[in-house]
Amino acid sequence: MELSKDNVVLENLELTIKQLGYKLKDPDIVETIVMEDISKFDIEDIEYYHSWSGYDLGNGLSGICCFIAELDEIYPDEGWDIIGHNYLLKIKEKMESSGVSSLSLWGGFTGICFAALALSKGETRYQNFINQLHQIILEKIPIETERCRNKIELGVEMTDYDVIGGLAGIGRYLLYYQNNKDMNELLKDVLRYLIKLTEKKEVNGVKVPGWYIPSENQFLPIEKVKFPNGNFNVGFAHGISGCLALLSIAKLKGYVLKDQDKAISTLANWLSFWSQTDEFGPLWPRRISWEEYFSNKADSKATVYEAWCYGEAGIARSLWLAGRSLKNLKWMNLASNTFNGMYKRNIRNYTLISPTYCHGIAGTLHSVQLMLKDQPTKNLLIYKNFLLNKLLKHIDLDTSFGIKDIEEIKGKKYKFNKPGLLNGSAGVAMVLLRELNKKDIEWDSVFLVK
């Protein structure tokens, strides 16, 4: 299905993407710009909104590597591999100077693995570095998986299982090593943990799903106020939708574990049950309270939120993957109706303020691109062009990275110079690369939507 030039102008898109790449070509300059930008803001808890570790996949150098790897694949004679090499050297320097405390995909060792694999040109480069990283995760992931498994009965935290900090995100990397016996066993262990997470457990004398988060384990202080008896996280980045996505992708890639189909069905049916509907289509609350769970009824209406992290885009995409994995038309139709509702709703009133991936336009656009590939419709094409136009209007090549993340903090909007994959220019550029249709990009798999 071809893009309509009447709806969106793409004459300079390829040049724009390369210019975004050029702004990221020197990791030292990138780091300097970010650190200077952070120092400009006198905001309480600035690290929550704008931070820099250097090596991480979410906001740091590893995520940029995934974008650079795609540029090198499309333009193999333009030196992007050299830029990628310099990035890996900088990442190694950061690891040696400050250490890496997390195993996670978006903030730890697994994200660095993803960066090195992306730049490895089909595992022909950086094998010593990758093997060193693999030795670490082969040693530590079994310990982490066992720790998380033991916590199911005691009470989980979202970072035990989620896409950003937990085992669901780690599992997506392990899927690249199905033919490696040791890595394959790690993945199976992660999947078994997620399957167990979907089983009921007893809390205060009653049965609840294993992913219930007790009050004391909730991540944000405001959650403890709003959900004094704990909650069930619905979202993709930090909730159960991301777990559904990994279980479904694994199934589509040939994994068949005991009770895996049952776990997929449990999660997909649970998400289906908690969907609400406005005049345009399905919506979801971000969390379900203990009280709502036992009354089988939401206390308030879900608010519109089209984003990947907690909104309709991520949740619906997970249902689509689940439907494909088990050939369940009910879930696929719910996902399709959600994207159609997003289109009808957004054409009238678009609410996301940031262009970036996690909670902005790029993340929504990416899911629509993938849905359009899986199920091409006129409405999805129009919606994609609409989002693309919105995204392109945010690009300003006179700024440090060509695009800024926008956050609303205590009623005031702030614009931050961020270069990364999750909340910065690399993520936006990665999504724009899909529009060139030169090659089907690979490393957007890191978002667990494919």
Side-chain angles (χ1 to χ4, degrees):
M1 185 175 285
E2 294 296 319
L3 188 67
S4 170
K5 291 184 179 179
D6 293 333
N7 293 334
V8 66
V9 178
L10 292 176
E11 294 174 2
N12 299 313
L13 182 59
E14 187 168 12
L15 177 60
T16 297
I17 293 169
K18 285 188 178 183
Q19 288 175 314
L20 291 173
Y22 296 147
K23 287 176 177 292
L24 301 172
K25 66 181 180 180
D26 188 323
D28 290 313
I29 293 175
V30 167
E31 180 172 57
T32 298
I33 291 171
V34 174
M35 295 306 292
E36 288 179 352
D37 196 59
I38 293 172
S39 69
K40 294 175 184 176
F41 295 95
D42 183 17
I43 299 173
E44 186 180 357
D45 298 325
I46 180 64
E47 66 277 0
Y48 180 79
Y49 303 99
H50 196 5
S51 62
W52 180 258
S53 71
Y55 57 75
D56 68 289
L57 187 78
N59 296 307
L61 303 174
S62 292
I64 300 170
C65 286
C66 294
F67 169 50
I68 291 170
E70 295 294 355
L71 289 175
D72 184 49
E73 179 68 22
I74 297 172
Y75 310 108
D77 301 320
E78 296 187 6
W80 294 105
D81 59 334
I82 297 172
I83 294 172
H85 179 75
N86 291 334
Y87 264 80
L88 287 184
L89 290 176
K90 183 70 174 179
I91 289 169
K92 195 166 184 288
E93 176 189 311
K94 285 285 182 184
M95 292 173 65
E96 292 169 351
S97 64
S98 59
V100 181
S101 59
S102 169
L103 288 170
S104 71
L105 175 61
W106 288 96
F109 277 110
T110 307
I112 298 170
C113 289
F114 226 112
L117 176 62
L119 290 168
S120 72
K121 286 187 173 288
E123 298 180 64
T124 62
R125 297 182 179 181
Y126 309 120
Q127 291 309 288
N128 287 338
F129 182 45
I130 290 172
N131 287 336
Q132 290 170 11
L133 292 169
H134 283 183
Q135 286 304 310
I136 294 169
I137 64 176
L138 283 167
E139 176 188 340
K140 293 189 175 184
I141 288 178
I143 298 170
E144 176 65 6
T145 306
E146 183 63 19
R147 183 189 73 83
C148 293
R149 186 182 293 113
N150 291 336
K151 281 183 65 181
I152 292 177
E153 291 301 322
L154 299 173
V156 303
E157 298 175 63
M158 71 181 193
T159 50
D160 294 344
Y161 63 78
D162 72 3
V163 168
I164 298 295
L167 289 169
I170 291 171
R172 187 62 187 90
Y173 175 73
L174 298 176
L175 271 169
Y176 278 100
Y177 288 91
Q178 290 178 254
N179 296 323
N180 180 303
K181 180 182 177 182
D182 293 335
M183 300 287 274
N184 191 42
E185 284 305 312
L186 278 189
L187 174 61
K188 288 181 179 178
D189 211 22
V190 167
L191 294 174
R192 292 188 190 103
Y193 161 75
L194 294 178
I195 290 167
K196 183 172 177 57
L197 192 69
T198 68
E199 298 172 359
K200 292 287 183 72
K201 66 178 181 180
E202 189 170 302
V203 177
N204 297 330
V206 294
K207 295 287 187 179
V208 297
W211 68 88
Y212 161 72
I213 302 173
S215 177
E216 63 272 17
N217 287 354
Q218 293 176 118
F219 186 72
L220 298 173
I222 193 172
E223 287 182 286
K224 295 177 182 179
V225 175
K226 190 172 181 181
F227 304 102
N229 295 310
N231 77 78
F232 304 82
N233 196 308
V234 180
F236 193 98
H238 293 299
I240 206 64
S241 299
C243 300
L244 176 60
L246 180 67
L247 287 167
S248 302
I249 294 167
K251 175 76 173 180
L252 289 166
K253 288 186 174 291
Y255 281 84
V256 182
L257 277 69
K258 183 176 183 294
D259 292 330
Q260 183 178 351
D261 289 2
K262 180 181 177 183
I264 292 171
S265 296
T266 295
L267 295 178
N269 286 330
W270 191 85
L271 289 171
S272 299
F273 176 82
W274 287 104
S275 66
Q276 301 179 24
T277 305
D278 68 2
E279 59 185 301
F280 303 109
L283 299 167
W284 278 267
R286 300 187 190 188
R287 298 166 184 83
I288 301 299
S289 71
W290 173 275
E291 293 79 8
E292 288 173 318
Y293 176 78
F294 281 102
S295 69
N296 281 324
K297 184 179 179 182
D299 291 338
S300 59
K301 290 184 178 180
T303 55
V304 174
Y305 194 56
E306 304 90 0
W308 167 81
C309 56
Y310 270 101
E312 294 87 60
I315 296 168
R317 184 63 186 173
S318 73
L319 284 166
W320 178 263
L321 292 169
R324 283 182 55 204
S325 73
L326 296 187
K327 298 179 173 58
N328 186 303
L329 291 178
K330 176 184 174 183
W331 305 332
M332 294 174 73
N333 287 337
L334 177 56
S336 181
N337 290 339
T338 301
F339 279 98
N340 195 48
M342 288 163 61
Y343 153 70
K344 291 186 290 185
R345 193 183 296 114
N346 287 174
I347 291 295
R348 290 163 175 79
N349 180 33
Y350 192 74
T351 59
L352 298 183
I353 62 172
S354 181
T356 54
Y357 195 99
C358 181
H359 48 269
I361 301 167
T364 310
L365 173 58
H366 187 217
S367 288
V368 173
Q369 289 171 328
L370 294 171
M371 289 298 295
L372 188 57
K373 181 180 177 182
D374 291 346
Q375 187 189 49
T377 67
K378 181 179 178 181
N379 280 357
L380 278 178
L381 179 60
I382 296 171
Y383 190 28
K384 186 198 75 166
N385 292 344
F386 169 83
L387 292 170
L388 186 55
N389 264 322
K390 288 275 186 186
L391 186 57
L392 290 173
K393 287 176 182 176
H394 281 272
I395 293 178
D396 180 358
L397 295 174
D398 291 329
T399 60
S400 297
F401 300 126
I403 204 155
K404 293 190 176 187
D405 184 35
I406 303 172
E407 299 274 4
E408 186 169 336
I409 305 170
K410 296 181 178 179
K412 183 179 179 180
K413 292 178 183 177
Y414 293 86
K415 294 185 177 183
F416 301 123
N417 281 313
K418 297 182 183 179
L421 199 61
L422 198 59
N423 295 304
S425 62
V428 171
M430 177 91 85
V431 172
L432 291 176
L433 270 177
R434 276 200 161 268
E435 291 303 313
L436 297 183
N437 292 320
K438 288 182 176 290
K439 291 184 178 179
D440 188 23
I441 66 175
E442 174 60 35
W443 303 112
D444 55 348
S445 61
V446 74
F447 296 105
L448 271 82
V449 287
K450 55 174 270 192

